[in-house]
Amino acid sequence: QVQLVESGGGLVQAGGSLRLSCAASGLTFSMYAMGWFRQAPGKERERVAAISWTGSTTVYADSVKGRFTISKDNAKNTWYLQMNSLKPEDTAVYYCTAGSTIGTINHGYWGQGTQVTVSS
């Protein structure tokens, strides 16, 4: 059974940093593309960042480029989202996902979500 478990969310002031983690079990970690989505109240779900299964390709939403960094650690079956210079508009529930390619990560496995709240 595949499980993705996020951690690291919380409350932070604008300008601060958080690192989200997603621990995976039940899948061959190194063979999956991984990503992070977020959804704020009243807004559509947005893909924030994704990384290919090789780790050689990363993509970011324009809204987070230069501030967020996605990475993965195959040895720990975990991937991360380092979020710096956080803004109130980054407030959302963040979900980690895993799929066969960057383009299909939203059709694969999902975590339960972790709340990130950025105060102004």
Side-chain angles (χ1 to χ4, degrees):
Q1 182 179 357
V2 175
Q3 277 194 315
L4 306 182
V5 180
E6 300 102 336
S7 60
L11 174 64
V12 64
Q13 287 189 330
S17 298
L18 283 174
R19 189 177 79 157
L20 305 183
S21 300
C22 184
S25 60
L27 52 76
T28 305
F29 184 83
S30 61
M31 298 298 292
Y32 280 80
M34 276 81 177
W36 292 92
F37 284 75
R38 68 185 180 187
Q39 188 162 24
K43 294 188 176 181
E44 291 190 356
R45 188 175 60 194
E46 174 188 28
R47 190 182 71 181
V48 175
I51 186 167
S52 63
W53 68 273
T54 62
S56 61
T57 300
T58 56
V59 294
Y60 296 94
D62 287 343
S63 58
V64 306
K65 278 181 183 176
R67 300 188 298 122
F68 290 12
T69 303
I70 188 171
S71 61
K72 58 186 289 193
D73 186 335
N74 287 345
K76 295 183 178 180
N77 279 14
T78 301
W79 65 102
Y80 306 94
L81 185 68
Q82 178 67 44
M83 306 186 294
N84 299 328
S85 302
L86 282 161
K87 303 175 181 180
E89 51 263 44
D90 294 319
T91 296
V93 178
Y94 284 71
Y95 301 89
C96 60
T97 66
S100 55
T101 67
I102 285 180
T104 60
I105 52 173
N106 57 317
H107 298 300
Y109 303 104
W110 287 75
Q112 82 286 355
T114 186
Q115 177 70 46
V116 171
T117 303
V118 184
S119 63
S120 57

